[in-house]
Amino acid sequence: MALFEYFPNYIWNLSVSIAIESGGQIGEIIDMCQPIRDAAANGADAGTAQFLQQWVAMGDKLIGLAAEDEARGRSLSAAAKLERAALYLLVGERMQGHGNPERVTTFAKAQDTFAKAMTLGKHPVERVMIPYEGSEYPALYCRAPGEGPKPVVMYCNGLDSSKELLYWSKLPHALAARGISTLCVDQPGTGEALRIYNLPATPHSEKWATPAVDWLLQQPDVDPARIGMTGISLGGHFAPRAVAFEPRFASGAVWGANHNWAEVQQKRLRREGENPVPHYWGHVMWVFGATDMDDFHVKSADMTLNGVMERIKVPFLVTHGEHDRQIGLEYAHQSYEQLTNSPQRELKIFTAREGGVEHVGADNMSYGRDYIADWFAETLGGHTSGAA
């Protein structure tokens, strides 16, 4: 298994794979990519304006087609088109540098389009707000079917994702099928928390995870003894850190280990490994609210799990792709080996035999989401067969 490598650089191909794995239609994706194929040859940063133009144009077309469906009373068809429109808008926005004014307008349109898609499609998704240090950040609460208190998993972003992309990873769907609800969070440094509420990232994820647990405990459909935590990509730092310092989590997992991201930044300065987004250094300084590179390295110095994993005293799963081009496989082994006080630890490496070998399964997310969903079903008391 490998990424669908349509362009001559990894970052653009990663965006295409995100769109494919998140429910995009291949014909629409090719229509967007064909006109800009040559632009990608100049490097990941050049040509991102053309990328945005094509992806916004497709999003706008789908919004128009959805309006025609809605006018005929075909709300489900409209919702499907609006979901894809929101996806394409968010993928295009993700490729732009901080400070691009089109980034602001595109993100706002994506948020409105996603919300309408959820309403028209009658999806069991509710936008909620989590209090945080005198402010708040948004999340999507995806309720599992059935009556009574249920297990729930908090699901956090990586460096450059959003709660909508978490939803489209289909992990909330896989968890719901197993009787588990999901809280997809735009934690500080990501999604709306960064773009709308100006909340920068912090290495100390328990600062925002604890208020989310407090919020969950106020929900009548949550079993307080069965709350789990997971994260994707850079969430491989945030989720273990939160589980280590918030004792109310009953289980944890990572979709891609990120044991020492501070060290990874030194490797990226030496051009070792692939970056996840164009305009990388400007992006990470924005995420961490840094004024310059020196300030960024100070603010991200604690982005390591050395001395943290040993604090985890609940079941914990570490997953990683065998050929991850962003975060080396050695970091998965480090996280697993340091889980010395977990009563049930597991390391799952996805290989070419199955797929999911790229960063967080960008080549095939189905294996990661099913494995993690089964893990939580087994450690939080869900179910792994059709019978509840």
Side-chain angles (χ1 to χ4, degrees), residues 88-102:
Y88 299 152
L89 292 169
L90 284 174
V91 171
E93 185 268 350
R94 178 183 170 276
M95 289 283 283
Q96 307 311 301
H98 175 48
N100 183 340
E102 291 188 64

Side-chain angles (χ1 to χ4, degrees), residues 59 62-63 66-67 70 74-90 109-126 140 164 167-168 173:
L62 287 167
I63 290 170
E70 192 177 2
R74 297 174 175 175
S75 58
L76 294 178
S77 293
K81 293 179 179 67
L82 290 172
E83 269 203 77
R84 297 204 307 281
L87 168 63
Y88 299 152
L89 292 169
L90 284 174
K109 185 188 294 185
Q111 293 296 305
D112 291 342
T113 304
F114 179 85
K116 187 170 184 180
M118 295 298 101
T119 299
L120 288 178
K122 300 187 183 302
H123 296 284
V125 177
E126 179 186 356
L140 298 175
E164 293 80 19
Y167 176 76
W168 286 320
H173 305 66

Side-chain angles (χ1 to χ4, degrees), residues 155-221:
Y155 183 17
C156 74
N157 289 312
L159 175 71
D160 51 303
S161 53
S162 66
K163 63 189 180 303
E164 293 80 19
L165 288 170
L166 296 181
Y167 176 76
W168 286 320
S169 75
K170 301 294 191 294
L171 179 59
H173 305 66
L175 288 166
R178 292 160 175 80
I180 302 171
S181 299
T182 309
L183 184 70
C184 300
V185 299
D186 266 351
Q187 80 267 14
T190 69
E192 284 188 79
L194 177 65
R195 291 159 175 81
I196 307 301
Y197 297 90
N198 299 312
L199 298 173
T202 172
H204 310 125
S205 53
E206 67 276 12
K207 290 184 177 181
W208 51 258
T210 288
V213 174
D214 292 340
W215 184 89
L216 285 169
L217 292 177
Q218 296 172 17
Q219 310 311 307
D221 59 337

Side-chain angles (χ1 to χ4, degrees), residues 180-365:
I180 302 171
S181 299
T182 309
L183 184 70
C184 300
V185 299
D186 266 351
Q187 80 267 14
T190 69
E192 284 188 79
L194 177 65
R195 291 159 175 81
I196 307 301
Y197 297 90
N198 299 312
L199 298 173
T202 172
H204 310 125
S205 53
E206 67 276 12
K207 290 184 177 181
W208 51 258
T210 288
V213 174
D214 292 340
W215 184 89
L216 285 169
L217 292 177
Q218 296 172 17
Q219 310 311 307
D221 59 337
V222 168
D223 183 337
R226 296 190 290 168
I227 301 176
M229 174 76 186
T230 191
I232 193 166
S233 191
L234 193 54
H237 167 90
F238 297 130
R241 169 92 195 193
V243 173
F245 285 89
E246 172 47 74
R248 292 173 293 181
F249 285 119
S251 178
V254 295
W255 197 344
N258 228 313
H259 188 82
N260 195 336
W261 194 74
E263 183 177 83
V264 170
Q265 302 321 292
Q266 299 305 312
K267 293 182 178 181
R268 285 178 174 164
L269 285 170
R270 300 192 296 268
R271 298 177 182 262
E272 297 176 16
E274 297 283 0
N275 292 339
V277 289
H279 320 286
Y280 179 75
W281 295 109
H283 184 82
V284 295
M285 285 190 283
W286 176 39
V287 166
F288 279 85
T291 55
D292 54 32
M293 283 289 285
D294 289 340
D295 189 33
F296 162 67
H297 288 302
V298 169
K299 288 180 174 177
S300 61
D302 285 347
M303 293 293 293
T304 175
L305 295 173
N306 287 326
V308 172
M309 300 301 287
E310 295 90 342
R311 295 177 61 104
I312 294 175
K313 298 178 181 180
V314 297
F316 205 92
L317 167 68
V318 177
T319 75
H320 209 78
E322 187 176 42
H323 300 301
D324 190 321
R325 288 184 250 179
Q326 292 186 45
I327 306 297
L329 183 58
E330 68 271 17
Y331 292 112
H333 289 284
Q334 289 174 22
S335 284
Y336 173 75
E337 289 163 3
Q338 292 180 25
L339 282 167
T340 52
N341 290 308
S342 169
Q344 181 184 349
R345 62 177 180 167
E346 184 175 343
L347 174 64
K348 173 59 180 177
I349 306 301
F350 295 105
T351 68
R353 176 176 176 266
E354 55 211 329
V357 300
E358 292 278 357
H359 183 66
V360 298
D363 55 310
N364 189 332
M365 297 184 82

